[in-house]
Amino acid sequence: MSKTNFYVVTSPTNFQELLSADLSRVSVINFWAPWAEPCKQMNEVIKELSKKYQQILFLQVEAEEQADIAESFDIQAVPTFIILRGHDLLDRVEGADAAALTKSVQKHTTGSPYKPQSQTDKAPAPAPTTVPSSLQDGDFKKPETEAQLNERLRGLMNQSKVVLFMKGSPQEPRCGFSRKIVGLLKDKGVEYKHFDILTDESVRQGLKKLNDWPTFPQLIIKGELVGGLDIVQEMAENGELKEALA
Ligand SMILES: N[C@@H](CCC(=O)N[C@@H](CS)C(=O)NCC(=O)O)C(=O)O
């Protein structure tokens, strides 16, 4: 019988041992969470890939249970896939993108020359120094200024009485903190609009600055930030959430 190439990682030591057993081998690390719907589909994709690509090591890492490992790869949401050769980073696929993951696995299995990509040189190729002619005649979209971004953010924060800036959606949260606040708001019967900050990096970074709050979720009531999960949990317990919503 062939040796297995599919493991559930149980600790950082176990992770290191599995990776170090053969440093020339390509590994696909699946950071997932049991409550995340997209992870369920992607776990099936991973199982299929592991059958097809016996030479690749597939490691299942439950992101919240193995927080140290997740942190070492700067995992911001689930699912996220890290592709390594030994300890060298080859690729990173964010979200339930089966096509991108399959393409990456194919790319790193075929006989292409081994080109390790270190954590520091993973930045995309630099943008061309000249603007392509197709973009020179007025259809070149100028980057948003900070003032324009802040105006857009204020618009988003005021789109409804209650707005939740979160990772993923209420139906498919992609971070445990976002999942918990969605549960809390549901329990309390709070109606709200949401914005998935993983879809817009300018909103993600801009809101941190505008609201002087470094993390998500961010709950906005009547256009003002009230806080993240911890604060909202506290407010729900001491009755302040009900007051703020009145
Ligand atoms: N204790 C925080 C936890 C939130 C948190 O740590 N969020 C992190 C991980 S989801 C975050 O948003 N990091 C910044 C980012 O991903 O841009 C709360 O009460 O909301």
Side-chain angles (χ1 to χ4, degrees), residues 76 167 175-178 197-198 204-205 208 213-217 227-231:
Q76 305 281 336
K167 293 187 178 179
C175 167
F177 301 113
S178 289
I197 53 103
L198 294 174
R204 181 176 182 175
Q205 300 311 335
K208 290 181 189 173
W213 195 265
T215 55
F216 294 95
L229 174 66
D230 295 345
I231 302 270

Side-chain angles (χ1 to χ4, degrees), residues 80-101:
T80 295
F81 304 90
I82 299 287
I83 294 109
L84 302 176
R85 185 186 298 268
H87 294 113
D88 293 324
L89 182 69
L90 298 175
D91 203 359
R92 180 180 183 107
V93 175
E94 311 252 355
D97 190 341
L101 178 64

